[in-house]
Amino acid sequence: MTAGKKPQVSAKEILSDIRSGMAHEELKRKYGLSDKGMESIFRKLAASGLVSETEARARSRKSADPAPAMQEPPKISQWNCPACNATHPEEAAECPACGVVVEKFLARRAEKTAAAELQRPARSSPWTRWLLAVGGSLIAALVIAAVLLWPRPGTREKPQPSVGIEKNLSRVEPGKKIEMKYFPEGYPLGLSVSQGSALHLFETPGAKPGFKKMPPDSGSKRYYDDFKIAGRSFLVITEQSTPPKIYLDANRNGDLTDDPGPFPGEKSDVVPNHYTLQLPYDGENEPTPYRMWMFVSGMGGTAFYPQCHWARQIVVVGNIYHVVLFDGNADGYYANDPVVIDVNNDGKAEKSEQLSPGESIEVDGAVIKLISIAPSGRWIRLDY
């Protein structure tokens, strides 16, 4: 080493030697330091937080007191940081190496350990494990049995008639007329439907003669139309009142004051809205309800979808079947729509279950033939 030049000491290297337990005198010899130089080094290490103030003061005292000859290297008590595992000569509230606050770190670790213990499944006794194993086997057996015994598609169990519902049933007899029941709902058994043409909502009656007598003026705006439905053409007045109303010239005499109605909409707007008309049909003693959903058409004017159908339960060879009639072509005339008999009782209208007049279907070994359908949908006639 050149005279007068201070020795260059690596802080990292001397700190490593200090942590390895190298004695004070050995450090002086290795780095060529005097007692004063050692004291300066430890002050700098303490100022940087690499050693504690306590250790720096202890080293300073060692520099002031000459070490006895053949002195055994002092044993330094060590403490390892619980976060970074760095070794320190004594326990510290804050790790000089990583800066973690020891008390907070230990508290967080204790919380995590407790949470893990709560989530760990409790050990069960052999008796409990045996019960769980037996219970699991029984459940598995029940599931397998249910799968094997559950009816497959198309083999669903047929409902059986009972005394309580007998009044809602009709037993199929050769040529007997079956009275159907009206339901103000659309798309039964998932049947599809076409869009029907409804009203144009003209603001004046037009030059064409027809309207002979109008309902009393209510002060509300009115629209005038010729509505083709149920195989006939009817004069119609739609009134923008609250609720809106439809006047139907049911007897087709041009007088809109001597007919059933008017028929109110179910909502406040003229369209879109639900209306239930009472339509006349040949051979019927009273008008028949026909519910429809009327809306603005993209082609101009309005269009509608039927929102009603006719249905009944019939008994064939002791079993119950659902029969449905729906105005799928949206013309208000049921005689040109198929009758559906839900033979497999799956709640869906399959093509093979749809009958037109003159067609037959096999039900429980019996051949059922559709003879006729009422244009109003009120009845059908079956034979077998």
Side-chain angles (χ1 to χ4, degrees):
M1 183 183 300
T2 306
K5 188 176 181 181
K6 292 183 180 181
Q8 298 296 318
V9 180
S10 168
K12 181 177 180 182
E13 185 178 355
I14 193 170
L15 185 62
S16 176
D17 290 337
I18 292 169
R19 297 294 175 247
S20 68
M22 185 176 290
H24 192 75
E25 293 299 323
E26 290 177 336
L27 290 171
K28 287 168 59 178
R29 285 194 298 271
K30 178 176 179 179
Y31 295 100
L33 295 171
S34 62
D35 288 337
K36 193 172 182 179
M38 283 292 291
E39 184 178 351
S40 175
I41 288 293
F42 272 91
R43 280 200 306 270
K44 292 178 180 179
L45 291 174
S48 301
L50 299 176
V51 299
S52 64
E53 292 288 346
T54 303
E55 185 177 5
R57 286 195 297 272
R59 293 284 184 170
S60 297
R61 285 197 299 272
K62 288 179 182 293
S63 299
D65 300 330
M70 303 300 292
Q71 183 179 8
E72 291 290 330
K75 293 183 179 180
I76 301 175
S77 60
Q78 296 180 346
W79 173 77
N80 292 86
C81 172
C84 68
N85 203 35
T87 303
H88 304 286
E90 60 183 12
E91 186 174 355
E94 184 174 336
C95 176
C98 66
V100 73
V101 179
V102 177
E103 183 179 357
K104 292 183 179 180
F105 175 79
L106 293 175
R108 288 195 299 270
R109 187 167 68 180
E111 290 176 1
K112 291 180 180 178
T113 303
E117 288 295 329
L118 288 175
Q119 293 178 359
R120 184 181 300 169
R123 293 183 178 179
S124 57
S125 65
W127 174 248
T128 303
R129 291 196 294 271
W130 180 84
L131 287 176
L132 290 174
V134 172
S137 299
L138 288 174
I139 292 173
L142 290 173
V143 170
I144 292 172
V147 170
L148 292 176
L149 296 176
W150 190 264
R152 288 164 176 75
T155 60
R156 198 167 143 189
E157 185 178 354
K158 298 164 185 174
Q160 298 298 315
S162 65
V163 175
I165 62 172
E166 188 67 30
K167 62 182 181 179
N168 296 321
L169 301 177
S170 179
R171 297 186 180 277
V172 177
E173 299 176 7
K176 179 183 177 181
K177 182 189 294 185
I178 297 175
E179 299 292 337
M180 304 292 282
K181 292 183 177 296
Y182 174 79
F183 293 89
E185 302 166 357
Y187 324 124
L189 300 181
L191 287 165
S192 60
V193 66
S194 300
Q195 177 178 304
S197 297
L199 311 176
H200 292 282
L201 300 180
F202 296 123
E203 295 188 7
T204 58
K208 180 182 176 181
F211 291 94
K212 297 177 181 178
K213 189 174 182 179
M214 304 290 188
D217 188 5
S218 64
S220 298
K221 187 173 183 177
R222 287 176 172 175
Y223 303 92
Y224 305 88
D225 281 282
D226 191 2
F227 186 22
K228 295 179 176 60
I229 191 168
R232 296 177 179 177
S233 181
F234 301 92
L235 295 176
V236 170
I237 294 176
T238 306
E239 187 174 271
Q240 193 171 336
S241 52
T242 305
K245 301 178 182 66
I246 289 180
Y247 294 85
L248 180 75
D249 184 18
N251 57 17
R252 303 199 302 160
N253 64 356
D255 181 355
L256 281 87
T257 65
D258 61 351
D259 307 279
F263 309 112
E266 298 177 16
K267 297 183 178 181
S268 59
D269 296 326
V270 172
V271 286
N273 209 338
H274 283 99
Y275 295 92
T276 299
L277 307 180
Q278 295 288 335
L279 300 178
Y281 289 89
D282 289 338
E284 305 291 349
N285 296 326
E286 57 185 8
T288 299
Y290 187 89
R291 185 171 180 259
M292 62 181 184
W293 169 249
M294 194 164 67
F295 56 94
V296 177
S297 171
M299 304 297 292
T302 67
F304 76 94
Y305 289 122
Q307 292 287 286
C308 57
H309 69 278
W310 296 83
R312 191 64 187 260
Q313 290 180 318
I314 62 172
V315 179
V316 180
V317 195
N319 295 316
I320 299 175
Y321 297 93
H322 298 282
V323 179
V324 167
L325 184 57
F326 179 54
D327 183 27
N329 55 17
D331 62 357
Y333 193 80
Y334 290 90
N336 55 13
D337 292 283
V339 170
V340 181
I341 302 178
D342 190 12
V343 178
N344 58 15
N345 281 299
D346 65 351
K348 297 179 181 178
E350 299 177 8
K351 188 65 178 177
S352 60
E353 297 174 328
Q354 302 181 34
L355 296 175
S356 295
E359 295 182 341
S360 302
I361 188 173
E362 185 174 331
V363 181
D364 271 338
V367 177
I368 305 296
K369 184 178 181 179
L370 176 63
I371 304 300
S372 57
I373 304 171
S376 63
R378 286 182 175 273
W379 53 264
I380 61 173
R381 197 183 300 276
L382 299 175
D383 196 3
Y384 83 102

